[in-house]
Amino acid sequence: MKNQTAEGLLVTSLCEDVFALAGVQLRTIRERLTRRSEALVQAVGVIFKNLYEKQMSARDDFCTDLEECCAAANDFVRMSEKCEEIVGEIQDECNLSPVATETLEEQSAVLLGLYSSDAVYAAQKTHIYCFEPIEEAVALELFKEEWLTDLTNNELALTLVRTLDDFMEDLETFLDEVMVQKCVEAQVAASVNFYIKCLLTRASEHNSSR
């Protein structure tokens, strides 16, 4: 279920659900092993590896519409922060050797990198859902005869821009500011691709030898 924070950000309970289970495993490991045990770091590494593999396999399940993409992006950012918090706690509470500390940081860096890149991925995937109504409203008319002769005031381009503006109002509310910037970058690229796609479609329909 999606919820909205006081600031307007969309989130779900994904972060809490995942790390509640991981937290049980981590607490059990820390209770059973000594604070200097090399096995502790190895066991934590197994948990991080499982989290990594599950994230890889399940990521797209959380990105099926615009609002879910926004919630997923925020959730993945929170999961990255939670992972950093856990690593910090282990380092503070356990008397790890320098080698063990380095191993722990390397293991966590892989998972942190995945959560961070997936947050960007989810935020940028919103462009797919932004362009669905644009496709319906503009794609069939762009670069046709009427566009050339009658729509001389950039009516179709204005439709595209205004539609993206409407979506941006929601994205600026639902997403962290850094992720909004990533959305803008994706929309710029998607706009270029949209125009090229429409132009190639019109070109493929042009059978005249002239």
Side-chain angles (χ1 to χ4, degrees):
M1 295 293 291
K2 291 187 293 291
N3 298 304
Q4 205 161 2
T5 68
E7 295 78 20
L9 302 182
L10 286 178
V11 297
T12 73
S13 63
L14 178 65
C15 177
E16 289 74 18
D17 293 342
V18 168
F19 281 95
L21 180 58
V24 171
Q25 296 173 326
L26 288 166
R27 284 193 299 275
T28 302
I29 290 169
R30 288 158 69 178
E31 289 169 0
R32 298 292 186 275
L33 299 173
T34 64
R35 294 185 177 186
R36 291 186 60 85
S37 173
E38 298 297 321
L40 185 146
V41 174
Q42 294 173 5
V44 171
V46 170
I47 294 174
F48 285 170
K49 180 176 181 291
N50 289 336
L51 289 172
Y52 183 96
E53 292 175 349
K54 181 56 68 176
Q55 177 71 11
M56 288 286 288
S57 65
R59 174 188 67 181
D60 286 313
D61 295 342
F62 303 105
C63 300
T64 58
D65 63 31
L66 185 133
E67 289 191 1
E68 285 199 1
C69 284
C70 293
N74 295 328
D75 287 341
F76 297 158
V77 168
R78 294 193 303 127
M79 290 162 79
S80 175
E81 293 170 350
K82 186 63 177 178
C83 184
E84 283 187 300
E85 180 184 320
I86 288 172
V87 172
E89 289 176 358
I90 293 173
Q91 290 176 325
D92 291 341
E93 296 177 10
C94 300
N95 188 19
L96 300 177
S97 68
V99 173
T101 299
E102 183 179 353
T103 300
L104 178 64
E105 290 176 350
E106 289 175 353
Q107 292 169 341
S108 63
V110 175
L111 183 59
L112 286 168
L114 179 65
Y115 285 146
S116 298
S117 63
D118 279 359
V120 174
Y121 169 84
Q124 293 192 328
K125 194 174 179 181
T126 57
H127 84 271
I128 294 173
Y129 307 106
C130 294
F131 270 84
E132 285 178 348
I134 293 171
E135 287 265 1
E136 295 177 3
V138 173
L140 292 178
E141 304 301 325
L142 195 61
F143 301 123
K144 282 193 170 181
E145 189 71 21
E146 184 184 2
W147 168 80
L148 179 65
T149 58
D150 299 333
L151 302 177
T152 56
N153 294 314
N154 290 326
E155 288 90 343
L156 299 184
L158 287 172
T159 298
L160 184 150
V161 171
R162 287 167 180 161
T163 302
L164 290 180
D165 278 345
D166 289 341
F167 278 115
M168 283 306 302
E169 290 182 12
D170 290 335
L171 293 171
E172 288 171 352
T173 300
F174 296 155
L175 282 170
D176 180 85
E177 184 177 352
V178 175
M179 292 297 121
V180 172
Q181 179 61 38
K182 298 299 182 181
C183 285
V184 173
E185 293 171 4
Q187 288 185 359
V188 170
S191 298
V192 174
N193 290 338
F194 174 75
Y195 275 108
I196 293 174
K197 175 184 173 182
C198 291
L199 184 59
L200 291 174
T201 300
R202 294 294 89 78
S204 67
E205 296 169 353
H206 183 70
N207 297 319
S208 172
S209 61
R210 295 176 59 189

